[in-house]
Amino acid sequence: MGADRRVISAALRLELKRTLKYKHALPHEQPLLWVSDALAWCYAKGGDWRRRVDPIIENRVIKL
């Protein structure tokens, strides 16, 4: 959520505030995000969990 706030703050400084609309939804308001969260958890957990989800994960983005 900190990264989200930094991006929003930067956009507002660039005078996008007239057109930028955002809302941090509560978890129960965005159930489709549960899928990505579950897959990320499985992948991060490793072992058999990673083996099970690996066939359905197309791309990975790793930020260091």
Side-chain angles (χ1 to χ4, degrees):
M1 196 134 129
D4 293 343
R5 289 185 179 157
R6 284 190 296 277
V7 169
I8 292 167
S9 179
L12 291 174
R13 282 193 303 275
L14 293 172
E15 296 190 27
L16 295 175
K17 58 186 160 198
R18 289 175 282 194
T19 58
L20 178 68
K21 295 179 183 178
Y22 65 93
K23 176 188 174 196
H24 283 283
L26 298 172
H28 71 273
E29 296 175 317
Q30 296 293 325
L32 287 179
L33 293 178
W34 301 345
V35 175
S36 59
D37 286 346
L39 291 175
W41 181 90
C42 290
Y43 192 84
K45 188 71 173 169
D48 193 47
W49 287 106
R50 185 177 293 184
R51 181 193 59 78
R52 291 178 183 208
V53 299
D54 200 46
I56 60 175
I57 295 178
E58 190 172 306
N59 293 314
R60 296 166 193 87
V61 177
I62 300 171
K63 293 184 180 183
L64 300 175

